[in-house]
Amino acid sequence: MHISDLNWTVEGHLLSTSYDKTLKVFDVASQRPLCSFDLESFGLSTIALPWDPDLVFAGTSQGMLLGMDFRASRPAIRLNNGPMVNALEVCTASRHVLMGDADGYLKAWDMRRVDTCVWSLANSQLPSASPRAVSHLHLATFGDEGSNGSGCGLLAASSHDGNVRVYAYGGPRGAESEGVAPLRLVQVVGTRSRLLPIRASLHLGDCGCRGDGAED
């Protein structure tokens, strides 16, 4: 089955979501699966929480954000976004799971208040333009992104129109925790082809924040 997304846990295990409606966890050293979670629909995205090694998230084609606990057989968290959850990212400083969906909106869910969407932002060129479906997210932060850090950085959103939009994220006062949405800084025109939308990553100078590469 088609694998839609890959990510890493804090313990170095590999996460994968796929069209077989599962979220799988692999031990890379032994090349064996550790466990598998049923997602009820196609798995489109996945992310691990750095502050909670027992909890991983998957976004599905039915618009669900599912938090899977290694200690339980059922989802510990179920959030209904509505549109397909195409992309996930995480901000450690604000304890937010960031989402990009098929309707073209960026959202932040506060994991300290599980049912709370703290902000929602249309991924568009202009405020009056139609939002563009998000295909991938990557957050690169300046300096310390720990619980005492600012979480300030840049959020890149790849879109189904072939463009990458970069947003200023966070600030010294922890704006995201107060429900303030990111500010769009720049739009980059990506590759025009018949392939799937591009994936983007960011590297912020010498802060050591590297992405997972850019590919068509």
Side-chain angles (χ1 to χ4, degrees), residues 6-140:
L6 297 171
N7 223 308
W8 296 98
T9 70
V10 292
E11 297 175 338
H13 297 141
L14 183 65
L15 302 175
S16 74
T17 49
S18 65
Y19 282 15
D20 65 357
K21 303 180 181 180
T22 64
L23 166 64
K24 292 184 172 68
V25 185
F26 293 89
D27 179 74
V28 177
S30 65
Q31 301 183 17
R32 293 184 178 182
L34 297 177
C35 59
S36 178
F37 299 101
D38 293 329
L39 299 179
E40 304 168 1
S41 59
F42 296 150
L44 302 180
S45 51
T46 185
I47 199 73
L49 300 186
W51 60 88
D52 189 345
D54 291 316
L55 195 62
V56 294
F57 279 86
T60 75
S61 59
Q62 290 185 349
M64 300 299 297
L65 176 62
L66 301 176
M68 317 301 292
D69 194 320
F70 289 122
R71 299 160 295 187
S73 58
R74 296 181 179 180
I77 298 173
R78 296 176 60 93
L79 299 174
N80 189 353
N81 179 63
M84 293 188 295
V85 181
N86 291 343
L88 292 174
E89 180 60 289
V90 64
C91 179
T92 302
S94 62
R95 292 292 198 268
H96 289 168
V97 170
L98 309 179
M99 173 193 297
D101 67 26
D103 276 5
Y105 283 87
L106 307 174
K107 300 176 182 177
W109 297 87
D110 192 337
M111 292 298 101
R112 296 163 296 188
R113 298 171 292 169
V114 176
D115 59 346
T116 303
C117 180
V118 293
W119 55 258
S120 177
L121 176 69
N123 181 48
S124 59
Q125 183 173 358
L126 297 170
S128 59
S130 299
R132 302 299 183 179
V134 179
S135 60
H136 184 246
L137 292 175
H138 181 247
L139 175 67

